[in-house]
Amino acid sequence: MKIPGRNIMKHFFTEREPGMDVKKEMKLMIVDDEERFLYAMEKLLTKKGYDVQTASSGEQCLEILEKKRLHVVILDIKMPGLDGLETLRRIKRLYPLVEVILLTGHATVESAVDGLKCGASDFLMKPISADDLLERVEDAFARSRAVAAKIDEARSRRFMQQSPGDILKDAAEEK
Amino acid sequence: MNNTDARMRKTVLFSMILVPVIPFVLVILVGYFYSAISIEARTVETLQRIVNDHRHMIDTFLRERRTNLEFVIHTNSFESLRRPHNLAFVYDNLRGVSNAFVDLGVFDENGLHVAYHGPHQLSGKVYKEEPWFVGVMQNGVHISDVFLGFRGYPHFIIAVARQENGKTWVLRATIDTYIFNDMVGRIRIGKSGEAYIINNDGVFQTAPLAGDLLLQPDPNRSLYLMPHDGIKTFMSNPNIPGVFQPYFGRDAYLYATTWLEEKPWLMVVRQEKKDAFRNLRFAMYLIAGIVVTGLTAIVGLAFHQTGRVIHRIKRMDAEKKGLENQLIRATRLAELGQMAAGFAHEINNPLQVIRGEQALMEFIITEMREKPEGIDDGSLAELEDSIRQMTVQISRCSHITQAILSFGRNTEPDMEDIRLDDFFAEIIAMISNKAAVHGISINQRIGGDAPLIHGDKGLLQQVLLNLLNNAIDAVLEKHGSRGGEILVYAGRAEDGQVEISVQDNGAGISAENMDKIFTPFFTTKPPGKGTGLGLSVCYGIVENLGGEMSVSSHEDAGTTFTLRFPAAGK
């Protein structure tokens, strides 16, 4: 599945800091109703050194997100119960900084467009190889980092313009 | 089909003819009726006017001649008029008034012809016993009927009497009838219209057109020789009530008669009906022509239009059928598209699992290669597990493709008569082991006369096995390994069809899933356990075999699938 503009986005956002250990820092979750797929992927990615979680339904995914801060979620669209698109909407509403990659065995343009409209950052079609999947995951993570960096920058710029008293007051309000 | 065609054709034709014919005929009838009435009234009126005018003329003529004589007799004495010179003078004066006067005679009270002026020498005779003399002596005036007399030409006489010095004397004039013949005979109406006068006894006083009948009795006199006032109009033949009767024979005459005032003579005007109403007759012929042409045109047009209408209806039917077929094809295509998408999804999921396993295996192998000394049982077990999983996933794919193939198979089923008792025995033998493992009892009941059905045994087996497998799954979901019951039933339905049902006491189907169960790729089973094609394939098979498939279910109470087939041999 080729999403137009993806390369440009990649160009913009792929500013990996040299020497940084992506594997250690990135927290990843795979959501799919194929238990065996979850099993194999969890095993493989853990072996490769990634911090990976699995969830077999949309509901479970939201439960985990409630407890744990994650960077990237790989979400199957067709699942019993809460389906992928609905789960995506809820994730984006509750945790807008989490990057979501949609995964489906049933590729139609409509569902791809729907997914991207709802805030998915990528759209992949099954079957996809583990390497390709990881590449996309890392791209997504880089974007998430870039966004986080910009927010940090904006925040520190605000700090610079404020008096220390204001900063303390803001900090108190934030709490 | 042909029967309805013919009936539709009849209906269309009937209304197409009837609708224009009714107003057409009404217009023709009303038009004919009113024009006939008006023509009749005008014709009769003309005839009446003619008879009245001419009676008036004749009456005037007779009155004038009588008045002339009365004037003469009262202005002259008997003594002066018996002198031939004076009589000649008076005669000449009278001739100046009217040249109808032929002669003039003077008679004394005894009927002695004392003086005469005219073309004959007649004086000296005695007329005392003559009817005209008796009449004039009685009434003071007498007008005779027309007669030939010894003169040899038709004439009549007017005589007037006067009392003078106690004695009565008579003045008599002979009137030539040519003038009055001329007056009456000149009347011509159309080709056959004529006028004549008959006397009290029905004798012609003027000559009618037909034949030399002057002074002969009128053969038709019985028709009109009766006293009446004013003008009488009638048809010659009492069997012809009016002009509406299309009878135009030669004996059909229209008459108008009136009695004279001066003399009991009857003025008769008559015209052949054919002639009098020739306009009407012409109109009738024209109308008949129009009716024939019009009806022919209407009927012809109706046939033609009916043909066109029927043709158009047939074409529309054909178009509709074509559209329906197109719709069916479009639906099929849409279904196919849906199926393809479902197919892709169902295949891609196991493929993704295989990909995952493959990646895992590659990683394990790389690890092993990097440190061959560290190969342990754990890694090998993992590899074996992955390979087993790949086998599972591959067979899952192949199940799907097989189901798809049978779903798309459109070959003619291999039909045979199937005895349901034998058939059930075979099926139950196939499945009983699996059922027994799960503690499910399978019962069969065959109602009535072990019906035969006509179908493809292999396909029917596929359907029944599928339903039984579903039933086992449903029962397991509800009861686990105890208390499951499945009933396979066959029997004859009320309408003669054969009914086969598979009933279970399993989990049932929820209302929201009920209308989706026959949809391809719809399944409630976890991934890898069901293709979602079983029931849709069964449905297609049953329909292909000419049967029907239906389902009834109560959630948590069980499900019954019912198949209905036409009985064999029908």
Side-chain angles (χ1 to χ4, degrees), chain A residues 32-34 36-37 39-41 43-44 47-48 76 78 103-106 108 125-131, chain B residues 341 344-346 348-349 351-353 355-357 359-360 363-364 367 382 385-386 389 393 396 521 527:
Chain A
D32 199 312
D33 60 336
E34 292 275 357
R36 182 66 202 190
F37 174 63
Y39 169 81
M41 288 312 283
K43 198 159 197 179
L44 175 68
K47 276 183 193 276
K48 285 194 172 184
D76 187 21
K78 200 187 165 203
L103 187 59
T104 180
H106 180 168
T108 60
M125 190 181 156
K126 289 179 180 177
I128 185 165
S129 74
D131 289 343
Chain B
H345 187 260
E346 291 306 315
N348 281 337
N349 270 327
L351 286 181
Q352 182 63 69
V353 178
R355 267 267 161 97
E357 300 297 334
L360 186 59
F363 189 82
I364 291 168
E367 263 184 351
E382 271 177 62
D385 183 34
S386 285
Q389 189 52 230
Q393 298 298 333
R396 187 176 152 194
F521 300 113

Side-chain angles (χ1 to χ4, degrees), chain B residues 489-515:
Chain B
Y489 164 82
R492 209 172 273 273
E494 282 155 27
D495 57 359
Q497 288 196 319
V498 175
E499 203 174 87
I500 298 172
S501 62
V502 176
Q503 189 182 345
D504 66 59
N505 62 347
I509 300 165
S510 72
E512 57 182 300
N513 286 340
M514 200 67 178
D515 51 354

Side-chain angles (χ1 to χ4, degrees), chain B residues 25-250:
Chain B
V25 168
L26 279 180
V27 163
I28 294 275
L29 284 182
V30 169
Y32 177 68
F33 178 74
Y34 282 103
S35 65
I37 282 183
S38 119
I39 288 175
E40 184 194 27
R42 224 182 49 221
T43 310
V44 169
E45 202 181 285
T46 308
L47 225 55
Q48 285 177 339
R49 206 186 60 238
I50 287 167
V51 81
N52 193 44
D53 287 354
H54 286 80
R55 177 202 55 82
H56 192 68
M57 273 165 64
I58 306 292
D59 263 342
T60 308
F61 176 78
L62 293 176
R63 192 181 307 117
E64 275 173 359
R65 298 297 78 76
R66 176 173 57 82
T67 320
N68 291 152
L69 291 181
E70 278 170 355
F71 178 75
V72 169
I73 205 169
H74 283 106
T75 48
N76 294 283
S77 66
F78 179 69
E79 288 307 320
S80 93
L81 273 190
R82 59 183 296 177
R83 284 201 283 271
H85 176 74
N86 284 350
L87 194 63
F89 177 73
V90 168
Y91 174 77
D92 286 345
N93 278 338
L94 281 176
R95 287 284 289 186
V97 175
S98 166
N99 55 6
F101 288 105
V102 177
D103 62 8
L104 206 55
V106 178
F107 301 81
D108 68 12
E109 60 181 342
N110 295 319
L112 180 66
H113 202 167
V114 292
Y116 173 82
H117 186 85
H120 310 284
Q121 279 307 315
L122 293 171
S123 55
K125 274 186 163 177
V126 178
Y127 289 90
K128 192 176 173 77
E129 302 304 323
E130 290 290 317
W132 69 266
F133 190 76
V134 176
V136 77
M137 287 307 275
Q138 260 172 22
N139 304 325
V141 60
H142 180 81
I143 300 172
S144 78
D145 284 336
V146 175
F147 60 97
L148 285 174
F150 56 87
R151 292 179 180 88
Y153 63 85
H155 62 275
F156 65 95
I157 56 161
I158 301 177
V160 291
R162 181 188 172 190
Q163 286 251 300
E164 194 182 0
N165 304 327
K167 286 182 177 172
T168 306
W169 63 282
V170 170
L171 181 66
R172 189 195 77 170
T174 303
I175 310 290
D176 190 342
T177 56
Y178 78 90
I179 273 185
F180 142 158
N181 251 330
D182 198 38
M183 243 186 247
V184 178
R186 219 173 35 220
I187 298 173
R188 281 287 181 278
I189 315 153
K191 275 183 196 161
S192 60
E194 59 173 331
Y196 50 84
I197 294 171
I198 57 168
N199 71 4
N200 227 352
D201 301 320
V203 175
F204 280 114
Q205 301 298 299
T206 64
L209 266 183
D212 190 12
L213 286 172
L214 183 63
L215 298 183
Q216 303 293 312
D218 181 354
N220 296 320
R221 62 186 180 278
S222 58
L223 280 176
Y224 37 76
L225 202 62
M226 57 196 76
H228 63 82
D229 289 328
I231 301 160
K232 197 179 151 202
T233 346
F234 55 93
M235 207 60 87
S236 61
N237 189 337
N239 294 327
I240 307 166
V243 291
F244 303 113
Q245 200 89 345
Y247 175 78
F248 291 109
R250 286 211 75 86

